[in-house]
Amino acid sequence: MQTSPRPSRENDRPPFEGLSAVAQPLTVAEDRQWATLAHFGGVAGFLPSLLIHRAFRGRGRFTEQESLEAMNFTLLPSLVVVAGALLAPVPFVGWLFALAAAAAWLLLAIGSLAGGIQVNRGEPYVYRYNTRLYDRLAARLAERSRERAARR
């Protein structure tokens, strides 16, 4: 005895079309949006610009450029804020560390907001007092990895 195949709902659906494994380039509006968020995120420290730079690197030139600029600016003040907050409970001199942390955060917040406003207009922003610490650290790490590869 033969049975006919049961009609199923699966056969009625169109075939699944997946997304490309390669990330698509950002549109101009998205590029400007993420670049602006990289600068505004500086109020919270260097982590937002680092994450945006890593996530959108190679997908939008403006975002890549501006998130790197924001990360370079926010890295050192973020470290000062964290160190000041950790050392604030020290007796007698803790208030100096707390004051330094507050001043560093104020510099960070004002600079990040100024950068975000200009980038939101579509104009690149260069921080006046940028130490380029991330660039120097990345170059040093790349040099060390080349030396290790040459020794092998």
Side-chain angles (χ1 to χ4, degrees), residues 11 26 32 36 43-44 50 53 67 73 77 88 94 112 121-122:
N11 295 336
L26 297 174
R32 185 185 298 180
T36 302
V43 173
L50 174 68
H53 181 70
S67 61
F73 173 71
S112 295
R121 292 186 207 131

Side-chain angles (χ1 to χ4, degrees), residues 1-18:
M1 175 175 192
Q2 288 186 339
T3 59
S4 63
R6 296 161 117 190
S8 71
R9 293 184 189 164
E10 291 179 18
N11 295 336
D12 297 339
R13 294 184 190 164
F16 176 72
E17 294 180 21

Side-chain angles (χ1 to χ4, degrees), residues 14 20 23 32-33 36 48 65 79 87-88 92-93 104 107 110-111 116 118 137 151:
S20 171
R32 185 185 298 180
Q33 170 193 354
T36 302
Q65 168 190 322
L79 295 176
L87 294 171
F92 304 111
V93 293
L107 169 78
I110 291 171
Q118 185 167 337
L137 291 174
R151 282 188 242 157

